[in-house]
Amino acid sequence: MRLKNHSLVRTQWRSPLGRLDIANSNQGLVGVWFEGAAHRPDMSIWPFVCTPVHRLAIEQLDAYFAGRINRFRLPLDLSLGTPFQQSVWQALLELPYGHTLSYSALSLRLGRQGAVRAVANAIAHNPLSIIVPCHRVIGADGRLTGYAAGLERKAALLRLEGSLPSLRPSA
């Protein structure tokens, strides 16, 4: 993950699924990472500051977990990713609440059917957990696979959205 911008600030919030580190730049929300998730950047140099963007993100995350909203309306800054990663993250923003899609189907949507692994890698490095809904991407066989914050959290998010009924974790 490229971290060129040292003007990032962060705060923390305790979600029903564990602590989240929430970061933003001057352009918008740049990261929402679960404690212990893979691919978390070193945030030690980012000061703790609760900005209006942080407060808005926390308010909407709280409403999401309470079942009051199913779409986030936040200013996003996707600049931590490469242009390819950003295109994948933009495509994830189009996945509707309560629906899932396979990695291969998402690759087809992007016109990159031969790049399933590259798409999966971009999804794995999504810095905006929950907000950019990478948890809605599943294996072609319907199994839960590859969530940087753990399959238990992925299952919990899909259950919250009502899209878990027949899914089962990968072996």
Side-chain angles (χ1 to χ4, degrees):
M1 185 174 299
R2 300 175 328 184
L3 299 174
K4 300 181 292 189
N5 185 342
H6 295 291
S7 65
L8 300 177
V9 295
R10 65 180 165 137
T11 193
Q12 294 179 334
W13 179 67
R14 172 105 11 223
S15 82
L17 299 179
R19 192 186 81 208
L20 292 169
D21 285 296
I22 303 169
N24 74 273
S25 69
N26 293 335
Q27 287 72 45
L29 197 64
V30 75
V32 176
W33 297 276
F34 278 105
E35 181 176 30
H39 313 297
R40 284 169 51 100
D42 177 4
M43 295 176 253
S44 61
I45 63 168
W46 304 348
F48 278 98
V49 177
C50 193
T51 67
V53 171
H54 288 138
R55 284 190 288 280
L56 185 60
I58 290 168
E59 178 183 300
Q60 290 186 27
L61 284 162
D62 193 42
Y64 168 82
F65 280 108
R68 294 190 312 266
I69 67 167
N70 59 22
R71 184 170 180 85
F72 295 96
R73 300 194 191 300
L74 297 162
L76 301 181
D77 176 355
L78 301 179
S79 67
L80 293 186
T82 66
F84 176 75
Q85 288 173 322
Q86 290 178 37
S87 71
V88 172
W89 301 339
Q90 285 289 343
L92 291 173
L93 289 168
E94 302 302 318
L95 295 180
Y97 180 94
H99 292 83
T100 58
L101 188 69
S102 71
Y103 291 90
S104 56
L106 183 59
S107 295
L108 283 172
R109 275 191 186 182
L110 289 164
R112 305 289 300 255
Q113 58 272 19
V116 176
R117 285 189 177 180
V119 168
N121 188 49
I123 292 169
H125 288 85
N126 169 23
L128 287 155
S129 284
I130 306 168
I131 308 297
V132 174
C134 56
H135 59 276
R136 296 178 188 154
V137 183
I138 60 173
D141 62 357
R143 292 180 187 257
L144 298 185
T145 61
Y147 191 60
L151 292 181
E152 320 78 38
R153 286 183 176 133
K154 183 173 189 164
L157 292 168
L158 292 173
R159 193 175 303 110
L160 174 71
E161 295 184 7
S163 57
L164 187 66
S166 64
L167 299 179
R168 56 195 191 281
S170 290

